[in-house]
C-alpha cells in the first residue's frame, strides 16, 4: 500500500475536528482561537451572526459551533432558533452559546432557543475543552444515526436479491409518473416483463441458480434503461418497467431491444450457463386519453399473457382507443 | 375458492386481485360497502377480504351486517387494516376471522403475507366446519 493511500485512509478515519466560532469581539476571537488550535481543532471564524449563518447554511459546514450570544444583527440565540427550524434531514449542528448573561432565566432562554450547551464568560478553559469534547461525541453519534437511518431507508425501498426497486417503490414511481404524464399530456409506457420458464431453472438447477438468473437479468435490464426510466422487481420472476415520455412505437422498439439484449448471451449460474428469454407486455397511457392506472396495468398484463401464449421470447401490446381494446401488433 | 375483495382503491384492487388469481383463487370485487354487501349475498364467496376505510357503508358496518345475516354470517372475513391492536380486538368481537396488517401502502409489498393470511383463514374455516360436522355426527 502506498504511503499516500495509507495517509488518505488514515485521514478518512479521523473525526471532523472543525469548529465554527461566531464572535464579534476581537479579543475573545483571539483568545478562543488560541485555545482551540492548541487542542487540535480546526477553526472556522465568523465575526458576525450573519456571516456565521452563511457558513452554517453550507452543506459542508462544521458540525460544532461556538457562538456569542450578544452580537449586533443576528445574535447567538437567534442563530440557535434558526438552526432548530431547519429541515430535520439536514445534519445536526451542536451549538454552544457563550455569554456573560448568567441568570437562570437567561440559561433557560438559551436552551429553549435550541442551544445544546451554555458557557458563561469569562469561562474556564478546561471546562470549555470538556464541553467541546461532549459536543464532538454527540455529533459523531448523530452522524452514525443518520448513516444507519439512510441505510434502512434504502433497504426499505429495494428488493434485497436484485437491488432493484421493490414492488411498493416501483408502483409509487408509476403513480407519480402517471400523474405527471397526465398533467403534461405526454405518453407513458409500462412494460410487464416475465422470465420465460423460470420455474424450470429453479427446478432443474436449484434456487441458487434461480437467484443468479434473477440478479443477472436485473443487471441486464438496468443496463438498457435511461436514468429517468423506472425499473423494479414486481415479484417472483416479474419486473415492471416504466418509460416516461415513450409512445407506443418507441416503447415497442425499446421493449424488443431489451428482450434481445437480455437473451443474447447465456447467463452463467453456479451450476451451468443457460439461455434466458423474456416475454414482455407493453401498454401505453397517452396524455389525452383518460385511462386509469389499473386499466393501464391490466393492459400490460394482458399483453404479457398474449406474449406467453404466442410462444414466449417476444413483445406484445394491447392499446385502447376510446375505451375499446384493440390489438396493435 | 372464491374471494370477494372489497376495497375502494382501484390500484389496490388490481394488485391484490392479480396476486389472488395467481395463487389460484377466483376473485369478485366491490369498490364500496353497498356493492360489497350485494356481492356477498349474491355470490356467497368462500372468504371476504375487507378494507375498513370504505365510502358509503364503512367496513365495520359491513362486517356487522354480514354477521347478522344468516346467508353470510358463516363467511370468514379477513380485515385489511392499518388500525391498532385495540381495534383488532373490537373487530374480532364483531366477528372478523383475521387481520392482515397493512401500513398505508403495504398492498404494494410482496403478496406472500396476504396470501398466507387468506389460506390460514380458509383453513381455519374448513377445520371448524369439519369439527362441527364431526360433533354433529355428519359425515
Amino acid at each position: 500500500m502506498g504511503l499516500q493511500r495509507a495517509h488518505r485512509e488514515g485521514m478518512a478515519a479521523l473525526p471532523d475536528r472543525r469548529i465554527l466560532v461566531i464572535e464579534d469581539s476581537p479579543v475573545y476571537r483571539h483568545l478562543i482561537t488560541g485555545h482551540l488550535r492548541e487542542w487540535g481543532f480546526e477553526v472556522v471564524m465568523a465575526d458576525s451572526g450573519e456571516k456565521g449563518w452563511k457558513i452554517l447554511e453550507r452543506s459542508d459546514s462544521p458540525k460544532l459551533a461556538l457562538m456569542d450570544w450578544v452580537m449586533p444583527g443576528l445574535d447567538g440565540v437567534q442563530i440557535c432558533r434558526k438552526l432548530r427550524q431547519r429541515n430535520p434531514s439536514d445534519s445536526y449542528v451542536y451549538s454552544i452559546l457563550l455569554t456573560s448573561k448568567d441568570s437562570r432565566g437567561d440559561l433557560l432562554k438559551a436552551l429553549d432557543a435550541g442551544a445544546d450547551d451554555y458557557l458563561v464568560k469569562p469561562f474556564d478553559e478546561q471546562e470549555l475543552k470538556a464541553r467541546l469534547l461532549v459536543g464532538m461525541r454527540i455529533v459523531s453519534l448523530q452522524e452514525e444515526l443518520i448513516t444507519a437511518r439512510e441505510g434502512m431507508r434504502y433497504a426499505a425501498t429495494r428488493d434485497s436479491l436484485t437491488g432493484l426497486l421493490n414492488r411498493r417503490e416501483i408502483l409509487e414511481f408509476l403513480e407519480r409518473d402517471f400523474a405527471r404524464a397526465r398533467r403534461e399530456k405526454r405518453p407513458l409506457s409500462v412494460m410487464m416483463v416475465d422470465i420465460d420458464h423460470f420455474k424450470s431453472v429453479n427446478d432443474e438447477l436449484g434456487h441458487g441458480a434461480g437467484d443468479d438468473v434473477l440478479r443477472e437479468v436485473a443487471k441486464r435490464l438496468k443496463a438498457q434503461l435511461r436514468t429517468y426510466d423506472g425499473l423494479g422487481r414486481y415479484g417472483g420472476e416479474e419486473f415492471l418497467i416504466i418509460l416516461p415520455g415513450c409512445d407506443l412505437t418507441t416503447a415497442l422498439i425499446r421493449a424488443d431491444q431489451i428482450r434481445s439484449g437480455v437473451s443474447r448471451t447465456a447467463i452463467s449460474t453456479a451450476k451451468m450457463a443457460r439461455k434466458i428469454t423474456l416475454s414482455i407486455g407493453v401498454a401505453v397511457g397517452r396524455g389525452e386519453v383518460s385511462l386509469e392506472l389499473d386499466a393501464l396495468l391490466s393492459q400490460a398484463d394482458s399483453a404479457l399473457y398474449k406474449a406467453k401464449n404466442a410462444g414466449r421470447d417476444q413483445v406484445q401490446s394491447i392499446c385502447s382507443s376510446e375505451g375499446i381494446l384493440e390489438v396493435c401488433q | 375458492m372464491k374471494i370477494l375483495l372489497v376495497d375502494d382503491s382501484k390500484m389496490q384492487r388490481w394488485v391484490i386481485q392479480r396476486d389472488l388469481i395467481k395463487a389460484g383463487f377466483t376473485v369478485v370485487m366491490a369498490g364500496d360497502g353497498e356493492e360489497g354487501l350485494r356481492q356477498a349475498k349474491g355470490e356467497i364467496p368462500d372468504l371476504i377480504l375487507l378494507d375498513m376505510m370504505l365510502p358509503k357503508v364503512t367496513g365495520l358496518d359491513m362486517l356487522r351486517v354480514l354477521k347478522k345475516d344468516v346467508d353470510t354470517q358463516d363467511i370468514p372475513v379477513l380485515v385489511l387494516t392499518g388500525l391498532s391492536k385495540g381495534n383488532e380486538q373490537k373487530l374480532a368481537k364483531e366477528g372478523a376471522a383475521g387481520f392482515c396488517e397493512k401500513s398505508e401502502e403495504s398492498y404494494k409489498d410482496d403478496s406472500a403475507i396476504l396470501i398466507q393470511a387468506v389460506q390460514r383463514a380458509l383453513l381455519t374455516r374448513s377445520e371448524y366446519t369439519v369439527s362441527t360436522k364431526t360433533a354433529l355426527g355428519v359425515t
Side-chain angles (χ1 to χ4, degrees):
Chain A
M1 187 190 289
L3 190 62
Q4 259 196 325
R5 191 166 149 223
H7 182 65
R8 266 206 311 276
E9 284 174 1
M11 290 295 284
L14 277 179
D16 184 358
R17 294 195 70 90
R18 290 175 307 149
I19 177 165
L20 172 64
V21 176
I22 312 175
E23 170 65 82
D24 64 330
S25 145
V27 178
Y28 265 105
R29 270 208 307 273
H30 182 74
L31 182 71
I32 294 168
T33 313
H35 287 310
L36 293 178
R37 294 217 168 108
E38 191 184 317
W39 299 330
F41 285 100
E42 198 183 308
V43 181
V44 180
M45 187 61 77
D47 59 10
S48 74
E50 285 77 11
K51 283 183 193 165
W53 180 248
K54 272 217 171 90
I55 295 169
L56 287 169
E57 280 189 312
R58 295 207 302 248
S59 59
D60 65 339
S61 111
K63 305 287 182 284
L64 199 53
L66 184 62
M67 55 186 106
D68 191 16
W69 181 331
V70 184
M71 287 184 288
L74 198 60
D75 68 26
V77 165
Q78 286 170 322
I79 293 176
C80 286
R81 210 168 270 135
K82 277 166 84 86
L83 271 175
R84 298 304 165 238
Q85 282 163 359
R86 294 206 297 194
N87 188 335
S89 67
D90 288 340
S91 63
Y92 194 83
V93 174
Y94 189 92
S95 54
I96 304 174
L97 267 183
L98 212 50
T99 177
S100 41
K101 300 188 180 195
D102 63 350
S103 76
R104 187 180 146 77
D106 290 330
L107 167 73
L108 292 177
K109 189 180 169 195
L111 294 178
D112 184 54
D116 292 290
D117 205 353
Y118 182 96
L119 208 57
V120 180
K121 287 180 191 173
F123 53 85
D124 174 79
E125 59 191 64
Q126 288 311 312
E127 190 178 347
L128 173 64
K129 186 179 176 184
R131 286 174 188 252
L132 287 174
L133 291 176
V134 169
M136 282 187 65
R137 212 157 56 224
I138 300 283
V139 166
S140 82
L141 282 174
Q142 179 76 13
E143 304 274 295
E144 276 174 37
L145 211 61
I146 289 172
T147 313
R149 188 189 61 193
E150 290 308 311
M152 279 166 69
R153 183 176 293 169
Y154 181 84
T157 63
R158 301 284 154 162
D159 167 54
S160 56
L161 180 69
T162 61
L164 300 183
L165 295 181
N166 59 25
R167 181 199 275 201
R168 172 202 299 241
E169 289 300 311
I170 191 63
L171 284 173
E172 271 170 19
F173 182 103
L174 174 62
E175 279 180 316
R176 263 194 320 271
D177 277 61
F178 185 74
R180 183 178 307 143
R182 238 185 200 180
R183 258 196 329 270
E184 296 172 359
K185 301 207 185 312
R186 281 159 49 98
L188 172 99
S189 294
V190 175
M191 293 181 195
M192 199 63 109
V193 181
D194 191 279
I195 301 176
D196 294 329
H197 302 296
F198 183 72
K199 196 175 170 296
S200 74
V201 176
N202 271 338
D203 292 349
E204 291 159 27
L205 304 177
H207 286 276
D211 288 354
D212 289 340
V213 167
L214 285 168
R215 270 190 291 261
E216 181 59 24
V217 167
K219 206 172 116 194
R220 293 184 185 185
L221 288 174
K222 200 173 179 181
Q224 297 187 76
L225 296 176
R226 306 165 298 183
T227 48
Y228 46 92
D229 293 333
L231 165 64
R233 184 170 174 211
Y234 187 83
E237 69 272 28
E238 288 182 316
F239 300 88
L240 193 61
I241 296 177
I242 321 290
L243 304 176
C246 249
D247 61 15
L248 185 64
T249 318
T250 320
L252 286 173
I253 294 169
R254 296 215 34 216
D256 206 59
Q257 284 168 347
I258 289 168
R259 182 198 58 77
S260 61
V262 169
S263 63
R264 193 171 299 130
T265 51
I267 292 178
S268 37
T269 69
K271 286 235 174 98
M272 60 181 288
R274 188 163 174 135
K275 183 179 158 74
I276 295 294
T277 61
L278 302 180
S279 294
I280 304 181
V282 179
V284 177
R286 280 160 300 174
E288 68 274 17
V289 179
S290 72
L291 184 66
E292 294 290 337
L293 195 46
D294 58 330
L296 183 66
L297 283 166
S298 283
Q299 286 184 12
D301 201 30
S302 307
L304 171 61
Y305 188 72
K306 204 171 120 195
K308 289 276 176 199
N309 282 339
R312 298 181 168 85
D313 190 18
Q314 60 186 281
V315 176
Q316 289 285 346
S317 76
I318 291 172
C319 73
S320 79
S321 168
E322 288 158 340
I324 302 160
L325 288 183
E326 66 179 32
V327 176
C328 293
Q329 197 201 1
Chain B
M1 286 286 178
K2 194 197 291 173
I3 295 179
L4 169 61
L5 169 61
V6 191
D7 200 310
D8 63 326
S9 151
K10 280 185 176 178
M11 176 96 156
Q12 176 154 339
R13 279 207 304 272
W14 188 85
V15 170
I16 294 178
Q17 173 217 222
R18 188 173 184 272
D19 287 339
L20 290 171
I21 290 172
K22 282 210 151 200
F25 297 102
T26 306
V27 185
V28 284
M29 295 192 284
D32 61 59
E34 269 179 22
E35 200 193 336
L37 283 171
R38 232 180 357 255
Q39 295 262 41
K41 284 206 60 131
E43 299 276 347
I44 308 292
D46 296 285
L47 181 131
I48 298 172
L49 264 175
L50 179 61
D51 186 23
M52 277 291 109
M53 312 287 268
L54 292 173
K56 297 184 197 170
V57 183
T58 69
L60 183 60
D61 290 339
M62 188 176 153
L63 182 61
R64 283 179 178 149
V65 176
L66 285 170
K67 290 299 156 190
K68 272 194 197 127
D69 192 317
V70 283
D71 292 341
T72 57
Q73 63 188 191
D74 293 331
I75 305 171
V77 177
L78 194 59
V79 174
L80 294 167
T81 175
L83 306 175
S84 66
K85 293 278 171 203
N87 277 312
E88 290 196 358
Q89 279 175 6
K90 200 174 115 197
L91 288 169
K93 267 188 202 150
E94 297 284 349
F99 307 92
C100 202
E101 264 302 333
K102 62 165 193 179
S103 56
E104 196 65 27
E105 309 271 7
S106 79
Y107 68 93
K108 291 173 179 170
D109 292 339
D110 211 332
S111 56
I113 296 168
L114 179 67
I115 300 294
Q116 270 171 20
V118 167
Q119 282 163 345
R120 204 172 327 118
L122 283 169
L123 201 67
T124 316
R125 185 210 53 169
S126 60
E127 274 170 6
Y128 170 78
T129 313
V130 169
S131 61
T132 321
K133 277 184 179 169
T134 314
L136 294 172
V138 185
T139 48

